[in-house]
Amino acid sequence: MFQSLMLAALIFFPICNSTDTITPIQSLRDGETIISAGKNFVLGFFSPGNSKNRYLGIWYKKISVQKVVWTANRENPIYNSSGILTIKGGNLVLLDGGHNSNITLWSTNVSGSTMANYSSAKLTDYGNLVLTDDQQRIVWESFDYPTNTFLPRMKIGRNLQTGLNRVLTSWKSVDDPAPGEFSLGLDLAGVPQYILRKGSDPIWRSGPWNGERISGIPLMNREIIPEIYSYVANNDDIYLICNRANSSKATISVLDHSGLLQRQTWNDMNRGWNVITLAMEDRCDRYATCGAYASCDSNRMIWCQCLKGFERKTPGNWSDGCVRRRSLDCDGKGDGFLRLEHMKLPDTSRSREEPGLSLEGCKEECLKNCNCTAYARANISEGGSGCLMWDGDLIDLRTYSDGGQDVYTRVAASELSCEMNERHDNVLDDNDIEENGKGSELVLFNVSVIAAATNNFSESNLLGKGGFGPVYKGQLLNGQAIAVKRLSKTSTQGIKEFKNEVTLIAKLQHRNLVRLLGYGISGQEKILIYEYMRNKSLDSMIFDQKRSAILDWRKRFSILVGIARGILYLHEDSRFRIIHRDLKVSNILLDDDLDPKISDFGMARIFGQNQVQANTNRVVGTYGYMSPEYAMDGRFSVKSDAFSFGVILLEIISGKRNSYYCDCCSMNLIGHVWEKWKEDRAMEGVDSSMINISSFRTEVLRCIQIGLLCVQEKAKDRPNMSSVVLMLGNETAMLSPTQPAFCFGKENCSDHQIVCNSINEVTMTKIEAR
Ligand SMILES: *[C@@H]1O[C@H](CO)[C@@H](O)[C@H](O)[C@H]1NC(C)=O
Ligand SMILES: *[C@@H]1O[C@H](CO)[C@@H](O)[C@H](O)[C@H]1NC(C)=O
Ligand SMILES: *[C@@H]1O[C@H](CO)[C@@H](O)[C@H](O)[C@H]1NC(C)=O
Ligand SMILES: *[C@@H]1O[C@H](CO)[C@@H](O)[C@H](O)[C@H]1NC(C)=O
Ligand SMILES: *[C@@H]1O[C@H](CO)[C@@H](O)[C@H](O)[C@H]1NC(C)=O
Ligand SMILES: *[C@@H]1O[C@H](CO)[C@@H](O)[C@H](O)[C@H]1NC(C)=O
Ligand SMILES: *[C@@H]1O[C@H](CO)[C@@H](O)[C@H](O)[C@H]1NC(C)=O
Ligand SMILES: *[C@@H]1O[C@H](CO)[C@@H](O)[C@H](O)[C@H]1NC(C)=O
Ligand SMILES: *[C@@H]1O[C@H](CO)[C@@H](O)[C@H](O)[C@H]1NC(C)=O
Ligand SMILES: *[C@@H]1O[C@H](CO)[C@@H](O)[C@H](O)[C@H]1NC(C)=O
Ligand SMILES: *[C@@H]1O[C@H](CO)[C@@H](O)[C@H](O)[C@H]1NC(C)=O
Ligand SMILES: CC(=O)N[C@H]1CO[C@H](CO)[C@@H](O)[C@@H]1O
């Protein structure tokens, strides 16, 4: 009896001094923290980046590198450690106690409660700071006032009853949490959509919820992102919420100070954040890049293209967009619709939703209204109904290589049958080159200076012979070491195009890419200048019996992650998509810390895209690393790069080259790894120079599995690089690999046909092996 009373007392009268709570008599001073019950989050004072200013904020408890997810006094820092957080008059207030009288720097500003003495604030395990009144009613919560971070369980959107607008705003810089230029919030004009603004200008648009995901974030729907997003829209509230499938892992979306919206997931293995860019991923994400009635495609050399039935309004300026070639008939039955596939829905601020209408009903409805320019399904889920109808110019369209939906655009009936007349712009406009030169510190070198720096391109300075010409080591007069790539003279590209491409490539900056410093042009001579990597390329270590022992498993794993991140950046994070096409171990350079840097990216562009594409017999790429579809048909894609990555991965783990696995045996490296994998003996193929490898067995096998997934024969089965990065981070479940394209390229073997799968009739003449 007594015991059960005790128990009841414990349940109903919990100990008041719990460390996750602030009360009117328990203030929080700088240096002290409160910690959520499950030890997920901390509330306390911090200094961001290199700043010495103090701010009140919330960060992860278990992550060793401090990650602040919310800040109170964003604009009013405290300059020393005299901050005090307390409860006064029912409000949480932050005081600067370093004066004779306390100065209020920040307050929750809710109207005072009569029983204010019994208010308390508690930090929850989701990172929400919740202020309750004497009746335990929630009067304020930090989730309603987000800063730059969208946490699971937080709502981004608007409460229509209270007017509360939950918006993300970037920090000013990594050192300053004050509101920066960028904000992301729900826009209620037309069919609601999220708009990312720089100041008041829209720079990106999410598009509406399409029943499955935000239409402008195709990544959201891929099975690789385990979060479950829901969109709630009722008369009271419209918001997006993320319910993380597994809350024990830290996953957030951050609007960073440069305006990128990124999903970040903590990776315990390499103690860093895995990053995937959700918005402003490439140039086509930028709002209305191509103007009205034009669509942006980042896979094409010329990103913008008029919709079918439309033509350029002002040649040379895409911001004016396109106009109809033939005017609409309007009243009669003279109009029809063209279906555009894989589209991001156009700006919905000039659209409305018709719930319940079928697609056919929508078409009829649209034809009846002369202002209606397009329609699309409102809910793309199986069995979903309703449609959206636009009644103004169609703005901010783009295509996705994976994802997107159908849009039906209204055109004059005569356009429906005259696709043959389609005119394609095939010259690069000056205007298509983004802010030429601005923002990069690309230097134009005098060729005589480069010649002097390399002893007139002497043999003794030669570092190697790459695909597009020899590479020399050089030294500038100021002592800086450089790598000089002298492009072979067969390039037909004009000087202007060359400059344009070099300028674009120089904008690609990532810690896992070699930095382009400058270039030189003189007559036929075209030269590229890169930062010099003292530790040379990965193949000089990994395939060298003595030096390979320097690379233990941890180092090899971090090299793999670095390479994968570098490729992902080229594919998805940079402002335009680059397919490398020639990834191989000798193109991975190592910096002083042996961190990997990818070189030779963008060469196809720099060298002259047309030349490479026009000549179908000439494929840029290297024997042993090329996917079958690229080697045979010249079809390159992010998936052909993924194939090359798979080969690199298996080479790094085995310490053996794919193409020269053994002299004239029946299989290459991929084949051997696959055979061992099937027999559950994959560890046997691992480089024996790595000490203590058995203790990393699980990780090693996981990596081999990723490698095998990448080298699968069918491109569509291979993961893209964002999946690879997630898989390396142990974040997602993995599929079982199917048979790889393993026999491809065994040219010297008499018996190679025994084990080849379908692609053994490769004609080697098609490949310019290097
Ligand atoms: C903090 O700075 C204020 C002025 O901003 C000063 O009055 C106070 O003495 C300082 N407190 C401490 C502890 O240094
Ligand atoms: C400032 O506020 C703190 C916390 O409420 C309190 O302890 C202190 O007495 C106040 N100081 C002055 C000068 O009012
Ligand atoms: C609280 O209200 C005051 C006066 O209306 C205002 O100046 C201040 O910015 C508000 N503080 C917050 C944190 O909203
Ligand atoms: C709150 O506390 C103050 C000081 O402790 C006291 O003067 C006041 O009467 C209390 N108010 C209520 C509503 O209990
Ligand atoms: C969540 O992840 C942890 C660690 O990865 C794992 O131990 C746990 O089983 C997972 N929980 C669920 C529900 O998947
Ligand atoms: C393109 O057109 C826009 C708007 O019509 C104008 O602001 C811009 O200056 C033009 N750009 C060029 C390069 O002519
Ligand atoms: C079409 O647009 C014009 C101009 O915006 C407007 O005056 C007219 O009412 C619209 N017609 C319909 C049927 O919505
Ligand atoms: C979309 O359609 C599916 C299937 O009918 C339905 O379950 C879902 O609730 C719809 N979503 C919205 C946002 O209407
Ligand atoms: C390049 O350098 C050489 C030698 O210093 C000089 O003669 C020549 O004028 C320079 N060329 C240019 C374009 O500056
Ligand atoms: C480089 O070549 C030029 C002319 O071909 C010659 O004058 C010069 O001496 C050479 N310099 C070196 C370092 O060999
Ligand atoms: C990877 O995840 C699996 C299952 O979630 C877990 O058992 C394993 O320990 C994890 N490995 C690492 C290195 O975190
Ligand atoms: C393994 C190896 O060669 N490491 C070298 C990388 O480069 C730095 C700087 O030159 C050298 O100090 C390392 O020895």
Side-chain angles (χ1 to χ4, degrees):
M1 182 63 187
F2 180 67
Q3 271 182 349
S4 60
L5 268 179
M6 277 286 285
L7 200 60
L10 279 174
I11 291 169
F12 295 110
F13 307 101
I15 297 142
C16 292
N17 289 349
S18 60
T19 55
D20 61 350
T21 307
I22 290 178
T23 64
I25 51 162
Q26 281 175 305
S27 318
L28 181 79
R29 287 167 187 275
D30 196 340
E32 301 166 351
T33 56
I34 65 169
I35 296 169
S36 67
K39 301 196 167 36
N40 280 351
F41 287 97
V42 185
L43 172 76
F45 291 87
F46 72 98
S47 292
N50 291 322
S51 166
K52 294 213 161 49
N53 294 347
R54 304 296 287 169
Y55 296 87
L56 177 73
I58 297 174
W59 60 89
Y60 282 98
K61 167 84 176 124
K62 289 171 188 159
I63 294 175
S64 47
V65 185
Q66 190 182 55
K67 183 78 170 180
V68 173
V69 296
W70 182 79
T71 310
N73 53 321
R74 297 182 73 173
E75 287 170 287
N76 288 327
I78 309 160
Y79 301 105
N80 57 25
S81 56
S82 52
I84 306 168
L85 178 68
T86 188
I87 293 184
K88 267 193 178 161
N91 274 309
L92 262 173
V93 290
L94 177 63
L95 306 170
D96 183 349
H99 304 261
N100 292 332
S101 60
N102 288 329
I103 295 174
T104 303
L105 293 175
W106 173 86
S107 158
T108 52
N109 269 4
V110 287
S111 45
S113 155
T114 47
M115 298 285 280
N117 291 7
Y118 300 99
S119 295
S120 71
K122 182 173 174 168
L123 180 63
T124 75
D125 260 336
Y126 293 110
N128 192 8
L129 181 61
V130 180
L131 177 65
T132 48
D133 66 8
D134 52 330
Q135 318 252 315
Q136 255 83 68
R137 286 175 306 213
I138 295 177
V139 294
W140 180 92
E141 54 188 313
S142 62
F143 269 19
D144 279 343
Y145 302 89
T147 57
N148 67 344
T149 306
F150 184 39
L151 285 161
R153 308 272 171 146
M154 201 179 237
K155 299 168 180 174
I156 295 292
R158 292 203 190 198
N159 186 312
L160 304 176
Q161 299 302 322
T162 62
L164 181 70
N165 189 5
R166 311 172 196 95
V167 175
L168 294 182
T169 41
S170 65
W171 284 22
K172 265 214 167 89
S173 71
V174 287
D175 300 330
D176 186 356
E181 309 182 84
F182 300 97
S183 65
L184 178 68
L186 186 70
D187 196 83
L188 297 177
V191 175
Q193 55 185 347
Y194 291 88
I195 295 192
L196 175 55
R197 292 175 191 274
K198 181 179 186 181
S200 57
D201 298 336
I203 57 168
W204 175 81
R205 209 173 46 79
S206 71
W209 181 261
N210 65 16
E212 291 190 345
R213 61 173 178 269
I214 292 289
S215 132
I217 308 183
L219 272 173
M220 209 180 238
N221 196 31
R222 294 192 196 158
E223 59 282 5
I224 53 156
I225 291 192
E227 293 88 67
I228 300 157
Y229 288 90
S230 348
Y231 179 73
V232 174
N234 53 42
N235 292 338
D236 296 336
D237 218 349
I238 307 180
Y239 59 83
L240 183 73
I241 188 168
C242 161
N243 294 305
R244 167 91 205 172
N246 190 338
S247 64
S248 72
K249 277 192 167 170
T251 299
I252 54 183
S253 297
V254 177
L255 179 60
D256 86 351
H257 64 275
S258 65
L260 296 176
L261 180 66
Q262 294 180 323
R263 172 191 183 271
Q264 305 185 348
T265 309
W266 178 251
N267 183 340
D268 243 345
M269 228 187 300
N270 56 8
R271 300 160 66 76
W273 291 86
N274 287 348
V275 172
I276 292 179
T277 302
L278 300 176
M280 297 310 280
E281 188 180 46
D282 60 27
R283 181 190 166 103
C284 291
D285 265 357
R286 184 180 303 166
Y287 182 75
T289 275
C290 297
Y293 301 108
S295 168
C296 189
D297 180 349
S298 55
N299 283 335
R300 292 164 44 97
M301 187 153 91
I302 297 164
W303 299 278
C304 297
Q305 198 179 9
C306 291
L307 302 183
K308 281 181 192 158
F310 293 80
E311 60 192 7
R312 289 285 286 280
K313 188 169 178 195
T314 319
N317 193 344
W318 274 109
S319 58
D320 290 343
C322 305
V323 290
R324 283 186 195 285
R325 284 196 303 211
R326 296 183 175 80
S327 51
L328 294 176
D329 181 34
C330 239
D331 319 313
K333 294 210 159 30
D335 295 337
F337 292 91
L338 285 170
R339 185 167 65 120
L340 310 176
E341 295 174 318
H342 301 296
M343 303 299 290
K344 174 177 180 174
L345 295 182
D347 191 342
T348 51
S349 60
R350 297 287 304 271
S351 75
R352 67 198 154 93
E353 188 170 349
E354 287 287 348
L357 269 190
S358 68
L359 210 55
E360 196 53 38
C362 226
K363 180 178 174 181
E364 283 168 24
E365 196 65 27
C366 189
L367 276 176
K368 279 187 213 157
N369 178 350
C370 189
N371 291 351
C372 179
T373 48
Y375 66 91
R377 289 178 66 176
N379 182 347
I380 62 167
S381 299
E382 185 86 29
S385 64
C387 66
L388 302 186
M389 269 186 248
W390 281 261
D391 68 356
D393 286 350
L394 302 179
I395 294 169
D396 194 34
L397 289 106
R398 65 164 297 172
T399 56
Y400 292 116
S401 45
D402 193 0
Q405 70 182 87
D406 292 347
V407 175
Y408 300 84
T409 53
R410 183 178 196 160
V411 291
S414 50
E415 292 287 357
L416 297 174
S417 53
C418 63
E419 279 173 42
M420 299 308 292
N421 299 341
E422 211 55 44
R423 189 171 60 85
H424 288 288
D425 307 79
N426 52 10
V427 285
L428 260 186
D429 282 331
D430 270 9
N431 222 33
D432 291 333
I433 303 299
E434 187 179 19
E435 297 139 18
N436 206 344
K438 228 194 287 169
S440 71
E441 287 142 40
L442 194 64
V443 179
L444 174 61
F445 283 86
N446 181 331
V447 172
S448 328
V449 171
I450 304 173
T454 56
N455 285 325
N456 279 352
F457 304 106
S458 76
E459 282 287 323
S460 59
N461 284 47
L462 194 64
L463 290 172
K465 283 201 163 120
F468 295 88
V471 183
Y472 299 88
K473 181 180 176 179
Q475 192 166 24
L476 298 175
L477 285 177
N478 66 8
Q480 186 183 3
I482 51 173
V484 174
K485 189 175 196 95
R486 195 180 193 186
L487 298 185
S488 46
K489 298 199 170 117
T490 47
S491 161
T492 56
Q493 204 178 37
I495 299 221
K496 192 171 147 207
E497 289 80 14
F498 176 72
K499 277 188 184 168
N500 283 341
E501 292 299 345
V502 169
T503 308
L504 284 178
I505 298 302
K507 285 188 202 296
L508 298 174
Q509 294 184 9
H510 186 271
R511 56 186 298 215
N512 297 116
L513 297 185
V514 174
R515 180 88 188 268
L516 179 64
L517 302 174
Y519 64 106
I521 307 175
S522 162
Q524 283 284 297
E525 192 88 70
K526 289 177 194 150
I527 292 170
L528 297 174
I529 293 152
Y530 293 95
E531 59 179 336
Y532 176 69
M533 294 288 136
R534 265 179 299 215
N535 283 326
K536 308 235 164 58
S537 64
L538 185 54
D539 66 337
S540 69
M541 290 198 82
I542 207 92
F543 301 135
D544 181 301
Q545 287 204 331
K546 288 206 189 88
R547 301 187 74 209
S548 64
I550 298 169
L551 301 177
D552 62 10
W553 170 253
R554 286 256 151 252
K555 194 67 222 173
R556 287 188 205 208
F557 181 75
S558 82
I559 288 175
L560 284 175
V561 172
I563 300 170
R565 285 186 178 165
I567 305 173
L568 176 63
Y569 173 83
L570 289 174
H571 286 182
E572 302 199 355
D573 283 355
S574 58
R575 296 290 155 113
F576 52 98
R577 176 173 290 188
I578 291 272
I579 312 283
H580 190 296
R581 301 207 231 168
D582 195 15
L583 288 165
K584 52 183 166 179
V585 173
S586 60
N587 268 342
I588 310 295
L589 306 183
L590 296 172
D591 70 6
D592 289 359
D593 300 324
L594 300 181
D595 285 333
K597 301 221 178 203
I598 299 170
S599 72
D600 260 9
F601 51 89
M603 284 314 285
R605 293 186 75 113
I606 284 185
F607 206 70
Q609 186 116 335
N610 293 335
Q611 187 196 358
V612 176
Q613 278 175 339
N615 184 350
T616 48
N617 284 334
R618 187 194 148 97
V619 173
V620 181
T622 303
Y623 168 71
Y625 293 90
M626 275 185 283
S627 64
E629 76 277 7
Y630 183 35
M632 293 196 297
D633 303 331
R635 274 186 285 134
F636 61 88
S637 67
V638 294
K639 297 297 184 72
S640 49
D641 275 1
F643 184 96
S644 309
F645 174 78
V647 177
I648 292 172
L649 182 151
L650 296 176
E651 290 186 333
I652 290 176
I653 293 180
S654 66
K656 299 210 165 55
R657 286 181 203 274
N658 184 32
S659 24
Y660 307 107
Y661 182 67
C662 52
D663 281 338
C664 213
C665 51
S666 59
M667 278 178 277
N668 59 14
L669 171 65
I670 297 177
H672 273 271
V673 174
W674 171 245
E675 291 297 313
K676 295 258 191 259
W677 174 263
K678 281 197 300 189
E679 293 163 21
D680 233 354
R681 291 160 56 204
M683 286 302 282
E684 288 173 17
V686 172
D687 190 349
S688 55
S689 68
M690 282 185 282
I691 48 161
N692 213 0
I693 189 68
S694 54
S695 57
F696 299 107
R697 188 186 149 83
T698 318
E699 261 176 75
V700 174
L701 289 178
R702 194 175 171 89
C703 283
I704 293 177
Q705 190 175 349
I706 295 169
L708 288 171
L709 286 169
C710 288
V711 297
Q712 291 176 106
E713 190 186 351
K714 293 202 180 77
K716 71 170 173 49
D717 294 341
R718 295 174 212 144
N720 56 24
M721 292 312 291
S722 51
S723 309
V724 168
V725 168
L726 288 172
M727 288 191 286
L728 285 170
N730 202 15
E731 270 201 67
T732 46
M734 293 197 298
L735 302 169
S736 296
T738 58
Q739 175 147 313
F742 59 79
C743 191
F744 168 69
K746 284 308 290 180
E747 57 180 338
N748 292 324
C749 293
S750 49
D751 57 350
H752 72 280
Q753 296 189 344
I754 322 170
V755 288
C756 288
N757 40 17
S758 65
I759 43 168
N760 51 7
E761 51 302 83
V762 171
T763 48
M764 295 307 294
T765 50
K766 277 196 165 180
I767 299 159
E768 191 162 280
R770 314 202 315 245

